[in-house]
Amino acid sequence: MKKFSQNEIDKFIELLDFSKIEGGVVPMIAQDYKTNEVLMLAFANEEAVRQSLETGIACYYSRSRKKLWKKGEESGHIQEIQNIFIDCYRDTILLKVKQKVAACHTGFYSCFHREFVEGKLITRGKPVFNPDDVYKK
Amino acid sequence: MKKFSQNEIDKFIELLDFSKIEGGVVPMIAQDYKTNEVLMLAFANEEAVRQSLETGIACYYSRSRKKLWKKGEESGHIQEIQNIFIDCYRDTILLKVKQKVAACHTGFYSCFHREFVEGKLITRGKPVFNPDDVYKK
């Protein structure tokens, strides 16, 4: 798990361009640090990026709920940050993470578990957990 | 290279939620189909998605230039689509692609070639081409 100092976090924030998407957020991709499987994409505002780098655990910003989204807070399915990359325009973050249990709330390891084939969505892989057991109604 | 019929493309467009980001776009991630390396993230509007599925070659929408961005049109560094995935919220596309030469305009294979380590950006890997040779001034 990778944590950063306040000084390092300030430098990282300065590098990023939050101006491209309404609400001052950047897309943040989480990728399995071993297999390179893409797990999910969500958005992060400055506070979410700070939180992620301070704690070493991925934190996003929920644009619909308008608040920080500490991924795994309820389920325990946290993402421990191993490496942080940014793209050439400094407006997108790529996290290599150690994913606990699964990234997707539907029970699959990756949120990208459905492939579009011949006009239909085909589910790839099998669910890792039962959402009814993990998320209380 | 994967191409789709008009009927299939219409079905795919219906599945997608373009309402989340200003301008009616979805994030589209390109990933190397063999190594799973993440190459880039850009945005696609309905027209860009249609173009991608019709031709089998990734086409994005440039939000800054407000027009379709047929990636590789000038450089020849096209992305041949091998597989198309969508995420659980149907608001993000993941393309597995066969990348010609390199994805990044700076000459690196991936746009995510810089890692944030101890307060600094460290370049990972070596450039594949010289941008001055490829992009005419």
Side-chain angles (χ1 to χ4, degrees):
Chain A
M1 199 151 71
K2 198 156 268 181
K3 296 184 188 187
F4 292 85
S5 71
Q6 281 308 319
N7 182 35
E8 288 170 331
I9 295 171
D10 289 345
K11 283 182 182 165
F12 190 59
I13 295 295
E14 267 174 46
L15 287 172
L16 293 169
D17 181 354
F18 288 99
S19 73
K20 303 262 185 86
I21 299 176
E22 222 184 0
V25 295
V26 293
M28 193 154 78
I29 303 166
Q31 181 180 31
D32 186 281
Y33 81 116
K34 276 193 176 163
T35 65
N36 276 347
E37 184 174 0
V38 174
L39 302 175
M40 62 180 279
L41 177 143
F43 294 90
N45 62 2
E46 180 180 328
E47 198 186 346
V49 174
R50 286 188 178 278
Q51 178 85 22
S52 297
L53 271 68
E54 256 173 52
T55 62
I57 295 169
C59 174
Y60 302 89
Y61 176 76
S62 168
R63 300 175 79 221
S64 54
R65 287 175 285 146
K66 293 186 172 44
K67 61 174 199 170
L68 276 195
W69 168 27
K70 294 183 189 178
K71 167 127 189 84
E73 200 170 29
E74 190 184 349
S75 63
H77 303 171
I78 59 169
Q79 299 172 330
E80 295 177 352
I81 299 170
Q82 310 296 311
N83 307 84
I84 301 180
F85 295 83
I86 63 171
D87 77 339
C88 48
Y89 292 112
R90 302 178 177 197
D91 59 12
T92 305
I93 298 172
L94 174 68
L95 300 178
K96 296 218 179 192
V97 304
K98 193 188 275 187
Q99 173 70 55
K100 298 280 180 191
V101 186
C104 191
H105 72 289
T106 62
F108 287 82
Y109 189 62
S110 165
C111 293
F112 296 94
H113 56 272
R114 291 177 303 173
E115 182 175 359
F116 186 70
V117 181
E118 292 170 7
K120 285 179 203 153
L121 287 179
I122 308 291
T123 298
R124 301 297 187 195
K126 289 186 177 167
V128 177
F129 70 90
N130 181 347
D132 289 343
D133 298 341
V134 169
Y135 300 99
K136 293 179 186 100
K137 302 279 164 66
Chain B
M1 197 152 73
K2 197 157 268 181
K3 296 184 189 189
F4 292 85
S5 70
Q6 282 308 320
N7 183 34
E8 288 170 331
I9 295 171
D10 289 344
K11 283 183 182 164
F12 190 59
I13 295 294
E14 267 175 47
L15 287 171
L16 293 169
D17 180 356
F18 288 99
S19 73
K20 303 261 185 87
I21 299 177
E22 222 185 358
V25 295
V26 294
M28 192 154 80
I29 302 165
Q31 181 180 31
D32 185 282
Y33 81 115
K34 276 193 175 162
T35 66
N36 275 348
E37 184 175 1
V38 174
L39 302 175
M40 60 179 281
L41 177 144
F43 294 90
N45 62 2
E46 180 181 326
E47 199 185 345
V49 173
R50 286 189 178 277
Q51 177 85 21
S52 297
L53 272 68
E54 257 174 51
T55 62
I57 295 169
C59 174
Y60 302 89
Y61 176 76
S62 168
R63 300 174 79 222
S64 53
R65 287 175 284 147
K66 293 186 171 45
K67 61 174 199 170
L68 277 195
W69 169 27
K70 294 183 188 177
K71 168 131 188 81
E73 200 171 27
E74 191 184 348
S75 62
H77 303 173
I78 59 170
Q79 299 172 330
E80 294 178 352
I81 299 170
Q82 309 296 311
N83 306 86
I84 302 179
F85 294 84
I86 62 170
D87 77 339
C88 48
Y89 291 112
R90 301 179 178 195
D91 58 13
T92 304
I93 298 173
L94 175 68
L95 301 179
K96 296 218 179 190
V97 304
K98 191 187 277 188
Q99 173 70 55
K100 298 280 180 190
V101 187
C104 191
H105 72 290
T106 63
F108 287 82
Y109 189 62
S110 164
C111 293
F112 296 95
H113 56 273
R114 291 177 303 174
E115 183 175 359
F116 186 70
V117 182
E118 293 171 8
K120 284 180 204 154
L121 287 180
I122 307 290
T123 297
R124 299 299 187 195
K126 290 188 177 165
V128 176
F129 69 90
N130 181 348
D132 290 341
D133 299 340
V134 170
Y135 298 101
K136 295 181 185 96
K137 302 279 165 67

